Amino acid sequence: MKVLSQTYIKREEHTTGGFLFWIYIYFAIDFFLHLSARMPGYGVIRPTLLLVVIISVFQLLQWEKSGEITKEKAFRVMLWLLFYIVITLPLVTWPGSVLMQNIPAFVKAVVFFFFTALIVDTEKRLKLFLFVFILCQLIRVLEPLYLHITEGYWGDKTYLGHGEFAQRLSGAPSDVVNPNGLGFVIVTLIPYLYYLLWKVRALAYRLIFLGLMPALIYALVLTMSRGAFIAMLVVIWMLFKESSHKFGMLLILIASMMAVWVNLSDVHKERYLSLVSSDTRQSASAEGRIQGMKDEFIVALERPLIGHGLGTSREAKANADAGWLISHNLYLEILIEIGLVGLLIFFSFIKSIYRKFRQNREQMESLFAADTDTFIWRLNSALTAVFWMYIVYSINYFGLSAYYWYLFAGLTIAFSRIYFGSGEKTAAERVSHG
């Protein structure tokens, strides 16, 4: 326990000012809740990009305090990805579209990696940032659900065939997420809520968890997102695998799934059955998604090495007469936009994240093995479940210019810096030098 206390004392030293941290918190709230769509006139000043510039300038001015991050493999790989996108810009199919339309969205997403890794540098800040992140995501789910219950709001619909449509719940009018995006938000929330509320073993926290889960599951059903359903299965498996009460959890899962299934409408049942059956009305849309992936692979082969340009998946498909709808596959999106070289760099980025949280786990087992109910263990378990869910859901969810992988990478590095410091030392080396 001596090593444990020394680790905490060392990691509670701030490397960035409190003012900068609070600006980042405001940036996260502005980004996730889309304040420019809620406040008339606010969007004129381009607040999100303005905040990116402000935070970046402040961070550069005190870079000497946070230079440790340059030792991280993920940081170096990310710089290579940014460098690659810049130097290949003149060679892509539509450099004008990249510059004029797509760079801002990518910048607002990728900064989550740098800002989180650099600014969230103590356990107190980590907890506060996670609280703000989770609260914002809950608002994004509960707001459209409330509008649905009180006003009949749906936000989107899907074609069933034979001239029939079915309503699907999407994000609130001020949000930008479609039903699949809303499903992604819900499934991302569940591991965090489970490990940071239910596993606390305090009655108040567990009551909050039990109060939120029915609403989240109901909202997930209303999205009719098959990809989110598959991602949910991944999350359930990860929670089951980590559980010390597997039999009881299995009984609860079976009972819950049966209760949900018998209350589903025929349209919803057909939607989920279309994943495994070709005899339902909605199996055509599932087959269409597979055909869309094949078409996108062919489009990617037109410019296999460097791609058509950042954010141009839809444009590339339309110009190749492959339709304008994209199949929501991150890996194919990357292949189309930044080519095989870019895809390999991105895979290296994902691999570096995986190695980092595996390293975090190894060091936890050495330093915190006797204290598995602590925040550090619960957060690591949540991040592990989220990682594997992202890996699977990226097959059904595009997002090279979406925040989720970058924020996750930033959290993983922040976690490591707070509890173990930066660098490539093994757990055994850190203990021996503790």
Side-chain angles (χ1 to χ4, degrees):
M1 294 303 292
K2 182 179 179 181
V3 173
L4 173 65
S5 61
Q6 289 178 346
T7 303
Y8 267 103
I9 292 171
K10 180 182 178 182
R11 291 298 103 203
E12 282 299 315
E13 297 175 357
H14 292 272
T15 58
T16 59
F19 177 69
L20 183 59
F21 173 72
W22 286 109
I23 294 178
Y24 181 42
I25 289 294
Y26 181 75
F27 167 78
I29 295 171
D30 174 80
F31 180 88
F32 290 119
L33 298 186
H34 305 281
L35 298 185
S36 58
R38 298 171 182 270
M39 302 164 59
Y42 178 66
V44 175
I45 63 172
R46 304 294 295 273
T48 310
L49 284 175
L50 180 61
L51 287 166
V52 168
V53 173
I54 293 172
I55 296 172
S56 299
V57 170
F58 271 93
Q59 192 62 63
L60 287 172
L61 290 175
Q62 52 184 12
W63 180 255
E64 71 283 354
K65 296 181 180 179
S66 50
E68 285 184 351
I69 193 177
T70 59
K71 301 174 185 177
E72 299 289 350
K73 178 71 176 296
F75 176 82
R76 298 195 295 269
V77 175
M78 178 52 64
L79 289 184
W80 274 112
L81 179 62
L82 297 177
F83 178 71
Y84 169 77
I85 290 173
V86 171
I87 64 171
T88 58
L89 181 60
L91 306 176
V92 300
T93 310
W94 294 289
S97 296
V98 176
L99 282 173
M100 301 302 295
Q101 301 174 20
N102 303 321
I103 285 292
F106 179 72
V107 169
K108 286 187 287 187
V110 78
V111 293
F112 273 102
F113 168 67
F114 297 103
F115 293 169
T116 306
L118 289 166
I119 300 172
V120 182
D121 55 5
T122 68
E123 185 178 75
K124 183 178 179 180
R125 289 182 176 182
L126 179 60
K127 289 181 177 180
L128 181 56
F129 180 80
L130 284 170
F131 173 78
V132 171
F133 170 72
I134 293 170
L135 182 61
C136 286
Q137 307 313 309
L138 282 171
I139 292 173
R140 298 179 76 186
V141 177
L142 298 179
E143 183 180 11
L145 180 61
Y146 173 79
L147 292 174
H148 170 75
I149 294 171
T150 59
E151 302 177 15
Y153 173 81
W154 285 96
D156 207 341
K157 58 186 177 181
T158 186
Y159 184 63
L160 299 177
H162 308 293
E164 294 184 72
F165 289 85
Q167 299 289 340
R168 299 179 65 186
L169 186 67
S170 70
S174 58
D175 208 338
V176 296
V177 291
N178 61 16
N180 288 326
L182 185 61
F184 173 80
V185 172
I186 295 168
V187 179
T188 298
L189 273 170
I190 291 173
Y192 288 115
L193 294 176
Y194 177 79
Y195 284 108
L196 302 182
L197 288 179
W198 180 259
K199 297 293 283 185
V200 174
R201 298 184 180 179
L203 180 60
Y205 286 93
R206 290 192 166 190
L207 289 176
I208 294 172
F209 176 81
L210 292 175
L212 288 172
M213 284 307 298
L216 294 180
I217 298 301
Y218 182 46
L220 181 62
V221 170
L222 293 179
T223 67
M224 294 178 63
S225 174
R226 290 172 294 202
F229 174 74
I230 294 173
M232 182 67 175
L233 294 180
V234 175
V235 169
I236 290 174
W237 167 249
M238 293 303 299
L239 302 189
F240 177 77
K241 187 164 149 306
E242 291 276 329
S243 175
S244 56
H245 305 284
K246 289 183 171 56
F247 182 72
M249 188 174 184
L250 183 61
L251 292 179
I252 293 172
L253 286 172
I254 293 174
S256 300
M257 293 177 71
M258 290 178 62
V260 171
W261 182 258
V262 297
N263 286 285
L264 290 178
S265 67
D266 291 339
V267 172
H268 284 89
K269 289 179 179 178
E270 288 179 350
R271 180 78 176 177
Y272 296 120
L273 286 173
S274 66
L275 288 168
V276 294
S277 173
S278 60
D279 296 328
T280 66
R281 284 188 299 173
Q282 300 185 57
S283 58
S285 61
E287 294 168 1
R289 180 66 60 85
I290 295 173
Q291 183 58 48
M293 291 181 186
K294 295 177 181 177
D295 293 339
E296 288 176 7
F297 184 71
I298 294 173
V299 172
L301 291 180
E302 294 178 0
R303 302 293 298 272
L305 289 180
I306 60 173
H308 293 274
L310 182 70
T312 61
S313 298
R314 198 182 300 273
E315 192 173 355
K317 283 195 70 175
N319 281 273
D321 294 323
W324 62 274
L325 291 174
I326 48 182
S327 65
H328 302 269
N329 186 302
L330 172 63
Y331 309 117
L332 286 173
E333 177 198 18
I334 294 174
L335 197 59
I336 291 173
E337 296 184 3
I338 58 177
L340 180 60
V341 176
L343 181 63
L344 292 176
I345 296 174
F346 192 83
F347 278 156
S348 179
F349 178 65
I350 300 300
K351 181 180 177 181
S352 68
I353 301 170
Y354 175 75
R355 288 185 60 190
K356 174 54 65 176
F357 83 73
R358 287 285 298 179
Q359 184 185 77
N360 289 344
R361 179 82 178 210
E362 291 171 1
Q363 297 189 90
M364 283 167 49
E365 289 173 351
S366 294
L367 296 172
F368 303 88
D371 225 354
T372 57
D373 288 333
T374 56
F375 173 78
I376 181 175
W377 266 101
R378 290 183 285 109
L379 178 56
N380 182 267
S381 296
L383 291 173
T384 302
V386 170
F387 175 84
W388 290 113
M389 187 273 287
Y390 280 178
I391 289 289
V392 173
Y393 204 30
S394 292
I395 299 173
N396 187 65
Y397 194 69
F398 61 100
L400 181 58
S401 295
Y403 75 90
Y404 64 101
W405 271 120
Y406 310 118
L407 175 58
F408 182 88
L411 282 173
T412 304
I413 291 177
F415 183 101
S416 177
R417 292 182 69 207
I418 291 167
Y419 295 109
F420 312 117
S422 296
E424 303 297 329
K425 289 185 178 181
T426 64
E429 289 174 320
R430 292 209 177 277
V431 171
S432 64
H433 289 81

Coordinates of all heavy atoms in Angstrom, one line a residue, residues 143-210:
E143 N -33.8 13.7 -23.8 CA -34.6 14.8 -24.4 C -35.5 14.3 -25.5 O -36.7 14.6 -25.5 CB -33.6 15.9 -24.9 CG -34.4 17.1 -25.5 CD -33.4 18.1 -26.0 OE1 -32.2 17.9 -26.1 OE2 -33.9 19.2 -26.3
P144 N -35.0 13.6 -26.5 CA -35.9 13.1 -27.5 C -36.9 12.1 -27.0 O -38.1 12.0 -27.5 CB -35.0 12.4 -28.6 CG -33.7 12.1 -27.9 CD -33.6 13.2 -26.8
L145 N -36.5 11.3 -26.0 CA -37.5 10.3 -25.4 C -38.6 11.1 -24.7 O -39.8 10.7 -24.9 CB -36.8 9.4 -24.4 CG -37.6 8.4 -23.7 CD1 -38.2 7.4 -24.7 CD2 -36.8 7.6 -22.7
Y146 N -38.3 12.2 -24.0 CA -39.3 13.0 -23.4 C -40.3 13.6 -24.5 O -41.5 13.6 -24.3 CB -38.7 14.1 -22.6 CG -39.6 15.1 -22.0 CD1 -40.4 14.8 -20.9 CD2 -39.8 16.3 -22.6 CE1 -41.3 15.8 -20.4 CE2 -40.7 17.3 -22.2 CZ -41.5 17.0 -21.0 OH -42.4 17.9 -20.5
L147 N -39.7 14.1 -25.5 CA -40.5 14.7 -26.6 C -41.4 13.6 -27.3 O -42.5 13.9 -27.7 CB -39.6 15.3 -27.7 CG -38.8 16.6 -27.2 CD1 -37.8 17.0 -28.3 CD2 -39.8 17.7 -26.9
H148 N -40.8 12.4 -27.4 CA -41.6 11.3 -27.9 C -42.9 11.0 -27.0 O -44.0 10.8 -27.5 CB -40.8 10.1 -28.1 CG -41.5 8.8 -28.4 ND1 -42.1 8.6 -29.7 CD2 -41.9 7.8 -27.7 CE1 -42.7 7.5 -29.7 NE2 -42.6 6.9 -28.5
I149 N -42.6 10.9 -25.7 CA -43.7 10.6 -24.8 C -44.7 11.7 -24.7 O -45.9 11.4 -24.7 CB -43.1 10.2 -23.4 CG1 -42.3 9.0 -23.5 CG2 -44.2 10.1 -22.4 CD1 -41.5 8.7 -22.2
T150 N -44.3 12.9 -24.7 CA -45.2 14.1 -24.5 C -45.8 14.6 -25.7 O -46.9 15.2 -25.7 CB -44.5 15.2 -23.7 OG1 -43.3 15.6 -24.5 CG2 -44.0 14.7 -22.3
E151 N -45.0 14.5 -26.9 CA -45.5 15.2 -28.1 C -45.6 14.3 -29.3 O -45.9 14.7 -30.4 CB -44.6 16.4 -28.4 CG -44.5 17.4 -27.3 CD -43.5 18.5 -27.6 OE1 -43.1 18.6 -28.8 OE2 -43.2 19.3 -26.7
G152 N -45.2 13.0 -29.1 CA -45.2 12.1 -30.2 C -44.1 12.2 -31.2 O -44.1 11.8 -32.3
Y153 N -43.0 12.8 -30.7 CA -41.8 13.1 -31.6 C -41.1 11.8 -31.9 O -40.9 10.9 -31.1 CB -40.8 14.0 -30.8 CG -39.5 14.2 -31.5 CD1 -39.4 15.1 -32.6 CD2 -38.4 13.5 -31.2 CE1 -38.1 15.3 -33.2 CE2 -37.1 13.7 -31.8 CZ -37.0 14.6 -32.8 OH -35.8 14.8 -33.4
W154 N -40.7 11.7 -33.2 CA -39.9 10.6 -33.7 C -38.5 11.0 -34.3 O -37.5 10.6 -33.8 CB -40.6 9.7 -34.7 CG -41.7 8.9 -34.2 CD1 -43.0 9.1 -34.1 CD2 -41.5 7.6 -33.5 NE1 -43.7 8.1 -33.5 CE2 -42.8 7.1 -33.1 CE3 -40.4 6.8 -33.3 CZ2 -43.0 5.9 -32.5 CZ3 -40.6 5.5 -32.7 CH2 -41.9 5.1 -32.3
G155 N -38.6 11.9 -35.2 CA -37.4 12.5 -35.8 C -36.9 11.8 -37.1 O -36.2 12.4 -37.9
D156 N -37.3 10.5 -37.3 CA -36.8 9.8 -38.5 C -37.8 8.7 -38.8 O -38.7 8.4 -38.0 CB -35.4 9.3 -38.3 CG -34.7 9.2 -39.6 OD1 -35.3 9.2 -40.7 OD2 -33.4 9.1 -39.6
K157 N -37.6 8.1 -40.0 CA -38.4 6.9 -40.3 C -37.6 6.0 -41.3 O -36.5 6.4 -41.8 CB -39.7 7.3 -41.0 CG -39.5 8.2 -42.3 CD -40.8 8.7 -42.8 CE -40.6 9.6 -44.0 NZ -41.9 10.1 -44.5
T158 N -38.0 4.8 -41.4 CA -37.3 3.8 -42.3 C -38.3 3.2 -43.2 O -39.5 3.0 -42.9 CB -36.6 2.7 -41.4 OG1 -35.8 1.9 -42.3 CG2 -37.6 1.9 -40.7
Y159 N -37.8 2.8 -44.4 CA -38.7 2.2 -45.4 C -38.8 0.7 -45.2 O -37.9 0.0 -45.0 CB -38.1 2.5 -46.8 CG -39.0 2.0 -47.9 CD1 -40.3 2.5 -48.1 CD2 -38.6 1.0 -48.8 CE1 -41.1 2.1 -49.2 CE2 -39.4 0.5 -49.8 CZ -40.6 1.1 -50.0 OH -41.4 0.6 -51.0
L160 N -40.1 0.2 -45.1 CA -40.3 -1.2 -44.9 C -40.6 -2.0 -46.2 O -40.5 -3.2 -46.1 CB -41.6 -1.3 -44.0 CG -41.6 -0.7 -42.6 CD1 -42.9 -0.9 -41.9 CD2 -40.4 -1.3 -41.8
G161 N -40.8 -1.3 -47.2 CA -41.2 -1.9 -48.5 C -42.6 -1.8 -48.8 O -43.4 -1.6 -47.9
H162 N -43.0 -1.9 -50.1 CA -44.4 -1.9 -50.5 C -45.0 -0.6 -50.1 O -46.2 -0.5 -49.7 CB -45.2 -3.1 -49.9 CG -44.6 -4.4 -50.2 ND1 -44.5 -4.9 -51.5 CD2 -44.0 -5.3 -49.4 CE1 -43.9 -6.1 -51.4 NE2 -43.6 -6.4 -50.1
G163 N -44.3 0.5 -50.1 CA -44.8 1.8 -49.8 C -45.0 2.1 -48.3 O -45.6 3.1 -48.0
E164 N -44.6 1.2 -47.4 CA -44.8 1.4 -46.0 C -43.5 2.0 -45.3 O -42.4 1.6 -45.7 CB -45.2 0.1 -45.4 CG -46.5 -0.4 -45.8 CD -46.9 -1.7 -45.0 OE1 -47.2 -1.6 -43.8 OE2 -46.8 -2.8 -45.6
F165 N -43.7 2.8 -44.3 CA -42.7 3.4 -43.5 C -42.9 3.1 -42.0 O -44.1 3.0 -41.6 CB -42.5 4.9 -43.8 CG -42.0 5.2 -45.1 CD1 -42.8 5.3 -46.2 CD2 -40.6 5.5 -45.3 CE1 -42.3 5.7 -47.5 CE2 -40.1 5.8 -46.5 CZ -41.0 5.9 -47.6
A166 N -41.8 3.0 -41.3 CA -42.0 2.9 -39.8 C -41.2 4.0 -39.2 O -40.1 4.4 -39.6 CB -41.4 1.6 -39.3
Q167 N -41.7 4.6 -38.1 CA -41.1 5.7 -37.4 C -39.9 5.2 -36.6 O -40.0 4.1 -36.0 CB -42.1 6.4 -36.5 CG -43.3 7.0 -37.3 CD -42.9 8.2 -38.1 OE1 -41.9 8.9 -37.8 NE2 -43.7 8.6 -39.1
R168 N -38.9 6.0 -36.5 CA -37.7 5.7 -35.7 C -37.3 6.9 -34.9 O -37.4 8.1 -35.4 CB -36.5 5.3 -36.6 CG -36.7 4.1 -37.4 CD -35.5 3.8 -38.2 NE -34.4 3.4 -37.4 CZ -33.1 3.2 -37.9 NH1 -32.9 3.3 -39.2 NH2 -32.1 2.9 -37.1
L169 N -36.9 6.7 -33.6 CA -36.5 7.8 -32.8 C -35.1 8.2 -33.1 O -34.2 7.4 -33.1 CB -36.6 7.4 -31.3 CG -36.3 8.5 -30.3 CD1 -37.4 9.5 -30.3 CD2 -36.2 7.9 -28.9
S170 N -34.9 9.5 -33.3 CA -33.5 10.1 -33.6 C -33.3 11.1 -32.5 O -34.0 11.2 -31.5 CB -33.4 10.7 -34.9 OG -34.2 11.9 -35.0
G171 N -32.2 11.8 -32.6 CA -31.8 12.8 -31.6 C -32.9 13.9 -31.6 O -33.7 14.0 -32.5
A172 N -32.8 14.8 -30.6 CA -33.7 15.9 -30.5 C -33.6 16.9 -31.7 O -32.5 16.8 -32.4 CB -33.5 16.7 -29.2
P173 N -34.5 17.7 -31.9 CA -34.4 18.7 -33.1 C -33.1 19.5 -33.1 O -32.6 19.9 -34.1 CB -35.6 19.6 -32.9 CG -36.6 18.7 -32.2 CD -35.8 17.9 -31.2
S174 N -32.6 19.8 -31.9 CA -31.3 20.5 -31.8 C -30.1 19.7 -32.0 O -29.0 20.2 -32.0 CB -31.3 21.3 -30.5 OG -31.3 20.4 -29.4
D175 N -30.2 18.4 -32.0 CA -29.1 17.4 -32.1 C -28.9 17.1 -33.6 O -29.6 17.4 -34.5 CB -29.4 16.2 -31.3 CG -28.1 15.5 -30.8 OD1 -27.0 15.8 -31.3 OD2 -28.2 14.8 -29.8
V176 N -27.8 16.4 -33.8 CA -27.4 16.0 -35.2 C -27.4 14.5 -35.4 O -27.2 14.0 -36.5 CB -26.0 16.5 -35.5 CG1 -26.0 18.1 -35.5 CG2 -24.9 16.0 -34.5
V177 N -27.7 13.7 -34.4 CA -27.6 12.2 -34.5 C -28.9 11.7 -35.1 O -30.0 12.1 -34.7 CB -27.3 11.5 -33.2 CG1 -25.9 11.8 -32.7 CG2 -28.3 11.9 -32.1
N178 N -28.8 10.7 -36.0 CA -29.9 10.0 -36.6 C -30.2 8.8 -35.6 O -29.6 8.7 -34.6 CB -29.6 9.5 -38.0 CG -28.4 8.6 -38.1 OD1 -27.9 8.0 -37.1 ND2 -27.8 8.4 -39.3
P179 N -31.1 7.9 -36.0 CA -31.5 6.8 -35.0 C -30.2 5.9 -34.7 O -30.1 5.5 -33.6 CB -32.5 6.0 -35.8 CG -33.2 7.1 -36.6 CD -32.1 8.0 -37.0
N180 N -29.4 5.6 -35.7 CA -28.2 4.8 -35.5 C -27.3 5.5 -34.5 O -26.6 4.9 -33.6 CB -27.5 4.5 -36.8 CG -28.2 3.4 -37.6 OD1 -28.9 2.6 -37.0 ND2 -28.2 3.6 -38.9
G181 N -27.1 6.9 -34.7 CA -26.3 7.6 -33.8 C -26.8 7.7 -32.4 O -26.0 7.6 -31.5
L182 N -28.1 7.8 -32.3 CA -28.7 7.8 -30.9 C -28.5 6.5 -30.3 O -28.2 6.4 -29.1 CB -30.2 8.2 -31.0 CG -30.9 8.3 -29.7 CD1 -30.3 9.4 -28.9 CD2 -32.4 8.6 -29.9
G183 N -28.7 5.4 -31.0 CA -28.4 4.1 -30.5 C -27.0 3.9 -30.0 O -26.7 3.3 -29.0
F184 N -26.0 4.5 -30.8 CA -24.6 4.5 -30.4 C -24.4 5.2 -29.1 O -23.7 4.7 -28.2 CB -23.8 5.1 -31.5 CG -22.4 5.3 -31.2 CD1 -21.5 4.3 -31.3 CD2 -21.9 6.6 -30.8 CE1 -20.1 4.4 -31.0 CE2 -20.5 6.7 -30.5 CZ -19.7 5.7 -30.6
V185 N -25.1 6.3 -28.9 CA -24.9 7.1 -27.7 C -25.4 6.3 -26.5 O -24.8 6.2 -25.4 CB -25.7 8.4 -27.7 CG1 -25.8 9.1 -26.4 CG2 -25.1 9.4 -28.8
I186 N -26.6 5.6 -26.7 CA -27.2 4.8 -25.6 C -26.2 3.6 -25.2 O -26.0 3.4 -24.0 CB -28.5 4.2 -26.0 CG1 -29.5 5.4 -26.2 CG2 -29.1 3.3 -25.0 CD1 -30.8 5.0 -26.9
V187 N -25.7 2.9 -26.2 CA -24.9 1.7 -25.9 C -23.6 2.2 -25.3 O -23.0 1.4 -24.5 CB -24.7 0.9 -27.2 CG1 -23.8 -0.3 -26.9 CG2 -26.1 0.4 -27.8
T188 N -23.1 3.3 -25.7 CA -21.8 3.9 -25.1 C -22.1 4.2 -23.6 O -21.2 3.9 -22.8 CB -21.4 5.1 -25.8 OG1 -21.1 4.8 -27.2 CG2 -20.1 5.7 -25.1
L189 N -23.2 4.7 -23.3 CA -23.6 5.0 -21.9 C -23.6 3.8 -21.0 O -23.2 3.9 -19.8 CB -24.9 5.8 -21.8 CG -24.9 7.3 -22.1 CD1 -26.4 7.7 -22.2 CD2 -24.2 8.0 -20.9
I190 N -24.1 2.7 -21.4 CA -24.4 1.6 -20.5 C -23.2 1.1 -19.7 O -23.3 0.9 -18.5 CB -25.2 0.5 -21.3 CG1 -26.6 1.0 -21.7 CG2 -25.3 -0.8 -20.5 CD1 -27.4 0.1 -22.6
P191 N -22.1 0.9 -20.4 CA -20.9 0.4 -19.6 C -20.5 1.4 -18.5 O -20.1 1.0 -17.4 CB -19.8 0.2 -20.6 CG -20.5 0.0 -21.9 CD -21.7 0.9 -21.8
Y192 N -20.5 2.7 -18.9 CA -20.1 3.7 -17.9 C -21.1 3.7 -16.7 O -20.7 3.8 -15.5 CB -20.1 5.1 -18.5 CG -18.9 5.3 -19.5 CD1 -19.1 5.5 -20.8 CD2 -17.6 5.3 -19.0 CE1 -18.0 5.7 -21.7 CE2 -16.5 5.5 -19.9 CZ -16.8 5.7 -21.2 OH -15.7 5.9 -22.1
L193 N -22.4 3.7 -17.0 CA -23.4 3.7 -15.9 C -23.3 2.5 -15.1 O -23.4 2.5 -13.8 CB -24.8 3.9 -16.5 CG -25.1 5.2 -17.2 CD1 -26.5 5.1 -17.9 CD2 -24.9 6.4 -16.3
Y194 N -23.1 1.3 -15.7 CA -23.0 0.1 -14.9 C -21.8 0.1 -14.0 O -22.0 -0.3 -12.8 CB -22.9 -1.1 -15.9 CG -22.7 -2.4 -15.2 CD1 -23.8 -3.1 -14.7 CD2 -21.5 -3.1 -15.1 CE1 -23.7 -4.3 -14.1 CE2 -21.3 -4.3 -14.5 CZ -22.4 -4.9 -14.0 OH -22.3 -6.1 -13.3
Y195 N -20.6 0.4 -14.5 CA -19.5 0.4 -13.6 C -19.3 1.6 -12.7 O -18.7 1.4 -11.6 CB -18.2 0.2 -14.5 CG -18.0 -1.2 -15.0 CD1 -18.2 -1.4 -16.4 CD2 -17.7 -2.2 -14.2 CE1 -18.1 -2.7 -16.9 CE2 -17.5 -3.5 -14.7 CZ -17.7 -3.7 -16.1 OH -17.6 -5.0 -16.5
L196 N -19.8 2.7 -13.1 CA -19.6 3.9 -12.2 C -20.8 4.2 -11.3 O -20.7 5.1 -10.4 CB -19.3 5.1 -13.1 CG -18.1 5.0 -14.0 CD1 -17.8 6.3 -14.8 CD2 -16.8 4.6 -13.2
L197 N -21.9 3.5 -11.5 CA -23.1 3.7 -10.6 C -23.4 2.3 -9.9 O -23.3 2.2 -8.7 CB -24.3 4.1 -11.4 CG -24.3 5.6 -11.9 CD1 -25.6 5.9 -12.7 CD2 -24.2 6.6 -10.7
W198 N -23.8 1.3 -10.7 CA -24.2 0.1 -10.1 C -23.1 -0.6 -9.3 O -23.3 -1.1 -8.2 CB -24.7 -0.9 -11.2 CG -25.1 -2.2 -10.7 CD1 -24.5 -3.4 -10.7 CD2 -26.4 -2.5 -10.0 NE1 -25.2 -4.4 -10.1 CE2 -26.4 -3.9 -9.7 CE3 -27.5 -1.7 -9.7 CZ2 -27.5 -4.4 -9.0 CZ3 -28.6 -2.3 -9.1 CH2 -28.6 -3.7 -8.8
K199 N -21.9 -0.6 -9.8 CA -20.8 -1.3 -9.1 C -20.2 -0.5 -7.9 O -19.4 -1.0 -7.2 CB -19.6 -1.5 -10.1 CG -20.0 -2.5 -11.2 CD -20.3 -3.9 -10.8 CE -19.0 -4.6 -10.5 NZ -19.3 -6.0 -10.1
V200 N -20.8 0.7 -7.6 CA -20.4 1.5 -6.5 C -20.9 0.8 -5.2 O -20.3 0.9 -4.1 CB -20.9 2.9 -6.5 CG1 -20.6 3.7 -5.3 CG2 -20.2 3.6 -7.7
R201 N -21.9 0.0 -5.3 CA -22.5 -0.7 -4.1 C -23.1 0.3 -3.1 O -23.1 0.0 -1.9 CB -21.5 -1.6 -3.5 CG -21.1 -2.7 -4.5 CD -20.2 -3.7 -3.8 NE -19.7 -4.8 -4.7 CZ -18.9 -5.8 -4.4 NH1 -18.4 -5.8 -3.1 NH2 -18.6 -6.7 -5.3
A202 N -23.5 1.4 -3.5 CA -24.2 2.4 -2.7 C -25.7 2.5 -3.2 O -25.9 2.6 -4.4 CB -23.6 3.8 -2.7
L203 N -26.6 2.5 -2.2 CA -28.0 2.4 -2.6 C -28.4 3.5 -3.5 O -29.1 3.3 -4.5 CB -28.9 2.4 -1.3 CG -30.4 2.3 -1.6 CD1 -30.8 1.0 -2.3 CD2 -31.1 2.4 -0.2
A204 N -28.0 4.8 -3.2 CA -28.4 5.9 -4.0 C -28.0 5.8 -5.5 O -28.7 6.0 -6.4 CB -27.9 7.2 -3.4
Y205 N -26.7 5.3 -5.7 CA -26.2 5.2 -7.0 C -26.9 4.0 -7.8 O -27.2 4.2 -9.0 CB -24.7 4.8 -6.9 CG -23.8 6.0 -6.6 CD1 -23.5 6.3 -5.3 CD2 -23.3 6.9 -7.6 CE1 -22.7 7.4 -5.0 CE2 -22.5 8.0 -7.3 CZ -22.2 8.2 -6.0 OH -21.4 9.3 -5.6
R206 N -27.2 3.0 -7.0 CA -27.9 1.9 -7.7 C -29.3 2.2 -8.1 O -29.8 1.8 -9.1 CB -27.9 0.6 -6.8 CG -26.5 0.0 -6.7 CD -26.5 -1.3 -6.0 NE -25.2 -2.0 -6.2 CZ -24.9 -3.3 -5.9 NH1 -25.9 -4.0 -5.4 NH2 -23.8 -3.8 -6.1
L207 N -30.0 3.0 -7.3 CA -31.3 3.5 -7.6 C -31.3 4.4 -8.8 O -32.2 4.3 -9.7 CB -31.9 4.2 -6.4 CG -32.3 3.3 -5.2 CD1 -32.8 4.2 -4.0 CD2 -33.4 2.3 -5.6
I208 N -30.3 5.2 -8.9 CA -30.2 6.0 -10.1 C -30.0 5.1 -11.4 O -30.6 5.4 -12.4 CB -29.0 7.0 -10.0 CG1 -29.3 8.0 -8.9 CG2 -28.8 7.8 -11.3 CD1 -28.1 8.9 -8.6
F209 N -29.1 4.2 -11.2 CA -28.9 3.2 -12.4 C -30.2 2.5 -12.7 O -30.5 2.4 -13.9 CB -27.8 2.2 -12.0 CG -27.6 1.1 -13.0 CD1 -26.8 1.4 -14.1 CD2 -28.2 -0.1 -12.9 CE1 -26.5 0.4 -15.0 CE2 -27.9 -1.1 -13.8 CZ -27.1 -0.8 -14.9
L210 N -30.9 2.0 -11.8 CA -32.2 1.3 -12.0 C -33.2 2.2 -12.6 O -34.1 1.7 -13.4 CB -32.7 0.6 -10.8 CG -31.8 -0.5 -10.2 CD1 -32.4 -1.0 -8.9 CD2 -31.8 -1.7 -11.2

